[in-house]
Amino acid sequence: MFTWIFWILAIWFVVNVIWMWFDLDNGPLQKTFAWINVAAVIIGFWVFYGTTSVASLSTWFQVLNWVNIVLAAVQFYFGYRHANERSHKTD
């Protein structure tokens, strides 16, 4: 389980970063990816601490979990950065 989840999260991370980078101005997409990353982080830490680890992947799994937290924070920023702006139109 440890190895499978690691590779699933690693592939998701790569796809997520590439897709996110090319569509930074799409707020709803960024929010969706950020919330999926929250679920990925929860699953990642649950598997890391709850299952028998594989020594060769243990460090990389931990790094992947923490980098996913940073990525989720960046995605929340890009997703919600225009949420409080008000547009004032003057005629």
Side-chain angles (χ1 to χ4, degrees):
M1 181 172 182
F2 189 87
T3 306
W4 281 99
I5 297 296
F6 171 79
W7 287 111
I8 290 169
L9 290 176
I11 291 168
W12 163 249
F13 177 79
V14 170
V15 169
N16 188 5
V17 167
I18 291 169
W19 200 346
M20 179 199 89
W21 185 258
F22 287 108
D23 207 1
L24 288 176
D25 292 329
N26 188 346
L29 180 70
Q30 297 295 331
K31 289 182 222 177
T32 301
F33 279 175
W35 285 110
I36 292 171
N37 268 345
V38 168
V41 165
I42 291 169
I43 291 168
F45 278 111
W46 175 72
V47 169
F48 183 79
Y49 290 111
T51 62
T52 305
S53 65
V54 176
S56 61
L57 288 179
S58 184
T59 302
W60 289 109
F61 204 135
Q62 189 74 348
V63 168
L64 182 63
N65 285 335
W66 287 103
V67 172
N68 257 336
I69 290 173
V70 172
L71 181 62
V74 169
Q75 288 173 327
F76 276 124
Y77 169 75
F78 283 118
Y80 289 101
R81 68 181 165 175
H82 298 297
N84 292 328
E85 290 182 5
R86 296 182 186 190
S87 59
H88 296 285
K89 295 182 180 180
T90 56
D91 294 324

